[in-house]
Amino acid sequence: MLELIIEKALSNAQLELEPLKNDFHNKSLLIEINILQWILNQQRKIFNNLNMLKEIVQDEIYHLRINYNESTSKEDINILSKAIEILQTCLFLIKTELELYPMRKRNNNITNEN
């Protein structure tokens, strides 16, 4: 349910920003929205497997870096740079969640035993 609410909020934000997309800040927000929607779609495809999502995001960062290095357009470089930045943040959050999950599971087991 939360996933659907987030997806709807992202869609609404994208619709509101689309007419104003020539503004630098709005472009950045649109890139962020598109990436977050992409991550939600990937997560659904792999049935919430965070290890697989981590691999997918790492691969996407790798491909964007290749495109970044080959790009000559300043606009493309800005877009790719922003996309890489957002994906790296998402990757950090995914890795953090993967590291914390075993501790949460262990704490839940201890709580349930008492």
Side-chain angles (χ1 to χ4, degrees):
M1 185 65 175
L2 177 62
E3 198 173 291
L4 294 174
I5 293 169
I6 292 171
E7 189 173 336
K8 184 169 176 78
L10 290 173
S11 281
N12 289 341
Q14 187 173 25
L15 288 173
E16 289 180 26
L17 289 172
E18 191 65 34
L20 308 168
K21 66 182 173 188
N22 291 330
D23 177 67
F24 174 76
H25 296 291
N26 290 340
K27 274 186 187 175
S28 292
L29 287 172
L30 285 168
I31 293 167
E32 191 167 343
I33 289 168
N34 288 334
I35 289 172
L36 292 174
Q37 286 177 324
W38 176 80
I39 286 181
L40 282 173
N41 289 336
Q42 297 303 313
Q43 182 184 13
R44 264 192 224 114
K45 288 179 188 175
I46 57 172
F47 306 105
N48 298 322
N49 183 328
L50 286 181
N51 284 309
M52 285 181 68
L53 185 60
K54 180 183 88 171
E55 297 297 322
I56 291 169
V57 171
Q58 286 174 328
D59 287 346
E60 189 65 18
I61 291 170
Y62 173 78
H63 293 295
L64 288 175
R65 283 186 177 151
I66 290 172
N67 291 340
Y68 177 89
N69 291 332
E70 294 174 353
S71 186
T72 56
S73 160
K74 184 176 180 176
E75 172 129 5
D76 288 346
I77 289 171
N78 288 338
I79 290 170
L80 291 167
S81 176
K82 184 66 177 176
I84 291 167
E85 175 189 327
I86 294 164
L87 282 170
Q88 286 176 328
T89 301
C90 292
L91 182 61
F92 170 77
L93 294 170
I94 292 166
K95 287 180 175 181
T96 301
E97 182 63 25
L98 285 168
E99 290 172 7
L100 292 176
Y101 179 74
M103 291 181 350
R104 282 191 200 126
K105 189 174 180 181
R106 186 174 58 237
N107 288 341
N108 284 341
N109 287 340
I110 291 170
T111 304
N112 290 336
E113 289 174 3
N114 293 332

